[in-house]
C-alpha cells in the first residue's frame, strides 16, 4: 500500500542562514537531485522524519494485508484466489523492503513493530474500514492501490536512496494490484443487476476513505513544507488528491458507476474536476483509533507478533550457534 503521513517533520522550513556548513552542503546536494545514502551525514530532523514516514508506510503495507487476506478463502474462482493471494503476498514484500529501508536509518525492525503494536505509530486509516463482500476487494484494488500509486510514483524520486529504490520496485507491483481490482469491478459491472449494485455499494463506501488517503487538506497540513524542501515529499496532499479524482472519475464512468458526490463536476477553466472534500472529522476520528476495525486490525498484528515469538527465538539461537562455531574454527 502506501504512506499516509501524519505529522511530517518540523513545522517550519529552516532558512539558509540558520544552517551549519554541513547542512548547507546537504541541502545543495538535495537541490541538485543527488540521492542521500545511509552512512552519509544528514540532519537529525531529516532522519527522524524519514523513519516516521517509511515506518508508517511499512506498517500500512503489512496491516493492509488484513482486509484482503480475509477474502482469500472466499474468492469466487480458483483464478481469483491465485491472483488475490499473489497480491497479498506482494504487500508483505513491500512491508519488508520498507522495514529494511527504515533500518538503514538506525532504527531496528523490532523497535518499529513495538511502536506499531503499542499504537504509537500509525498506519493508513483506510485499513480500518471493513471489506464486507467480494466487490469490496475490487474497490480496494481499484481505489486504494490506485491512490497508493498516485502517492508512490513521485516518491521514486525522493531524496533518500534506499526509500527511492524500494519505491521503484513497489510501484511496478502496485500497477498490477490496481489492474486486478479494476478487473474485478469490470466483471461485477457486466454481471447481474445484483452484482452491479454490489459494485456501486463498494464504490459508495470506499470513495471518501480513498480520498482521505492523501492526508489532510494542504491548509490543515502543517508539516509538509520542510518535507518538501528535503524532497521526502514531492507533491502536496491536495495536488495528489486532485490527480486521483481526475484519473478515477472517467474509470467509474466506463464502469457505468456513479461517484457518490453530487458536487462532482468537470471544471473547464481549471481543466480538472471540482469535488467534495471528505469528512475530515471522520478522518481524525479513525486516526485516533475509533474507526470500524481499528481494534481488530491492531489485535491481529499483536497476536501475529506474539504467536511468532518461538520462531524469532529459534532464529536467534541458531544465529548464535553459527557464530560460536565460526569463532571456534577461526
Ligand atoms: Fe498494493
Ligand atoms: Fe503495497
Amino acid at each position: 500500500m502506501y504512506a499516509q503521513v501524519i505529522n511530517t517533520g518540523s513545522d517550519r522550513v529552516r532558512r539558509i542562514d540558520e544552517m551549519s556548513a554541513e547542512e548547507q552542503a546537504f541541502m545543495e546536494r538535495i537541490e541538485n537531485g543527488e540521492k542521500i545514502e545511509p552512512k552519509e551525514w544528514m540532519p537529525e530532523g531529516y532522519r527522524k522524519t524519514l523513519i516516521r514516514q517509511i515506518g508508517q508506510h511499512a506498517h500500512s503495507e503489512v496491516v493492509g494485508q488484513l482486509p484482503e487476506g480475509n477474502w482469500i478463502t472466499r474468492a469466487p474462482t480458483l483464478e481469483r484466489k491465485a491472483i488475490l493471494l499473489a497480491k497479498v503476498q506482494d504487500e508483505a514484500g513491500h512491508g519488508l523492503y520498507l522495514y529494511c529501508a527504515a533500518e538503514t536509518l538506525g532504527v531496528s525492525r523490532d523497535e518499529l513493530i513495538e511502536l506499531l503494536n503499542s499504537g504509537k505509530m500509525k498506519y493508513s486509516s483506510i485499513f480500518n474500514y471493513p471489506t464486507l463482500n467480494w466487490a469490496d476487494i475490487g474497490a480496494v484494488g481499484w481505489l486504494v492501490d490506485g491512490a497508493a500509486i498516485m502517492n508512490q510514483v513521485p516518491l521514486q524520486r525522493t531524496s533518500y536512496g534506499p526509500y527511492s529504490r524500494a519505491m521503484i520496485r513497489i510501484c511496478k507491483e502496485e500497477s498490477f494490484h490496481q489492474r486486478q481490482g479494476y478487473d474485478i469491478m469490470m466483471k461485477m459491472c457486466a454481471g447481474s443487476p445484483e452484482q452491479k449494485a454490489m459494485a456501486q455499494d463498494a464504490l459508495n463506501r470506499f470513495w471518501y476513505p480513498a480520498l482521505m488517503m492523501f492526508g489532510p487538506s494542504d491548509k490543515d497540513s502543517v508539516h509538509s513544507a520542510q518535507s518538501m524542501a528535503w524532497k521526502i515529499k514531492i507533491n502536496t496532499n491536495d495536488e495528489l488528491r486532485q490527480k486521483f479524482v481526475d484519473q478515477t472519475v472517467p474509470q467509474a464512468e466506463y464502469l457505468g458507476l456513479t461517484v457518490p458526490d453530487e458536487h462532482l463536476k468537470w471544471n473547464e477553466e481549471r481543466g480538472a474536476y471540482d469535488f467534495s472534500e471528505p469528512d475530515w472529522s471522520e478522518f481524525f476520528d479513525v486516526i485516533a483509533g475509533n474507526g470500524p476495525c481499528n481494534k481488530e486490525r491492531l489485535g491481529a498484528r499483536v497476536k501475529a507478533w506474539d504467536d511468532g515469538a518461538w520462531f524469532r527465538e529459534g532464529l536467534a539461537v541458531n544465529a548464535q550457534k553459527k557464530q560460536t562455531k565460526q569463532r571456534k574454527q577461526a
Side-chain angles (χ1 to χ4, degrees):
M1 241 291 321
Y2 102 112
Q4 175 182 60
V5 178
I6 306 129
N7 294 339
T8 324
S10 55
D11 8 27
R12 188 172 67 77
V13 183
R14 283 155 63 77
R15 291 194 318 268
I16 196 101
D17 60 323
E18 293 175 311
M19 294 180 191
S20 64
E22 258 172 333
E23 198 175 344
Q24 285 182 26
F26 174 84
M27 285 312 295
E28 209 170 294
R29 290 186 59 201
I30 294 217
E31 274 150 33
N32 290 339
E34 277 178 53
K35 297 279 179 239
I36 307 301
E37 296 299 335
K39 295 255 150 48
E40 295 172 343
W41 187 89
M42 61 186 78
E44 199 43 28
Y46 176 85
R47 196 180 71 84
K48 283 201 174 131
T49 305
L50 268 175
I51 289 177
R52 187 165 45 218
Q53 178 165 333
I54 302 173
Q56 283 180 7
H57 193 162
H59 297 330
S60 301
E61 299 285 355
V62 170
V63 177
Q65 294 177 95
L66 297 170
E68 289 177 295
N70 192 30
W71 278 89
I72 292 173
T73 53
R74 288 173 287 165
T77 65
L78 183 60
E79 190 190 12
R80 290 289 179 201
K81 191 193 284 269
I83 294 170
L84 185 60
L85 190 60
K87 192 238 189 226
V88 173
Q89 282 179 333
D90 281 354
E91 306 300 6
H94 298 174
L96 294 182
Y97 312 151
L98 288 162
Y99 283 127
C100 286
E103 280 179 314
T104 65
L105 291 155
V107 64
S108 72
R109 194 175 305 196
D110 284 7
E111 282 173 88
L112 288 170
I113 287 168
E114 163 58 26
L115 287 167
L116 170 70
N117 288 356
S118 61
K120 290 189 192 119
M121 219 167 164
K122 302 293 181 195
Y123 54 87
S124 178
S125 61
I126 190 83
F127 302 121
N128 292 312
Y129 290 85
T131 42
L132 303 176
N133 60 49
W134 178 250
D136 285 12
I137 299 305
V140 167
W142 172 34
L143 302 172
V144 177
D145 291 86
I149 296 171
M150 211 47 105
N151 245 308
Q152 291 173 170
V153 163
L155 286 176
Q156 296 177 101
R157 290 181 284 117
T158 196
S159 61
Y160 189 56
Y163 191 29
S164 141
R165 290 188 287 273
M167 280 300 116
I168 292 170
R169 181 155 176 192
I170 287 176
C171 278
K172 289 192 179 127
E173 294 174 345
E174 293 300 354
S175 307
F176 149 64
H177 298 171
Q178 203 259 358
R179 286 303 299 264
Q180 66 86 36
Y182 196 71
D183 192 61
I184 292 175
M185 294 305 268
M186 286 209 292
K187 279 270 162 21
M188 297 292 285
C189 289
S192 65
E194 287 81 5
Q195 284 173 311
K196 186 150 187 199
M198 278 167 75
Q200 181 64 56
D201 171 58
L203 171 60
N204 293 350
R205 281 179 292 107
F206 278 95
W207 176 253
Y208 287 104
L211 294 189
M212 291 177 198
M213 285 175 65
F214 299 95
S217 162
D218 292 348
K219 59 182 188 323
D220 303 317
S221 174
V222 288
H223 299 294
S224 50
Q226 179 65 75
S227 284
M228 288 184 78
W230 278 330
K231 293 193 187 161
I232 288 174
K233 198 176 158 94
I234 310 287
N235 300 94
T236 72
N237 298 349
D238 285 339
E239 278 168 12
L240 292 170
R241 191 167 11 251
Q242 180 73 59
K243 268 183 101 169
F244 175 75
V245 171
D246 292 346
Q247 178 188 284
T248 310
V249 170
Q251 294 172 348
E253 281 167 1
Y254 183 79
L255 292 171
L257 298 179
T258 310
V259 173
D261 177 359
E262 57 181 30
H263 298 116
L264 183 81
K265 199 169 162 270
W266 177 254
N267 183 324
E268 199 62 61
E269 239 166 75
R270 291 199 305 122
Y273 281 96
D274 291 334
F275 60 95
S276 304
E277 292 264 316
D279 175 358
W280 291 116
S281 62
E282 177 183 319
F283 170 78
F284 289 111
D285 204 37
V286 174
I287 294 279
N290 305 316
C293 300
N294 294 57
K295 288 193 181 69
E296 190 185 326
R297 301 292 185 237
L298 207 54
R301 286 312 312 153
V302 171
K303 183 176 182 303
W305 182 250
D306 292 346
D307 289 352
W310 67 272
F311 186 67
R312 292 191 301 279
E313 276 160 26
L315 284 179
V317 170
N318 188 44
Q320 230 167 18
K321 267 190 190 161
K322 261 194 189 155
Q323 260 182 3
T324 319
K325 202 174 159 193
Q326 276 166 353
R327 238 178 275 139
K328 273 185 190 159
Q329 281 169 350

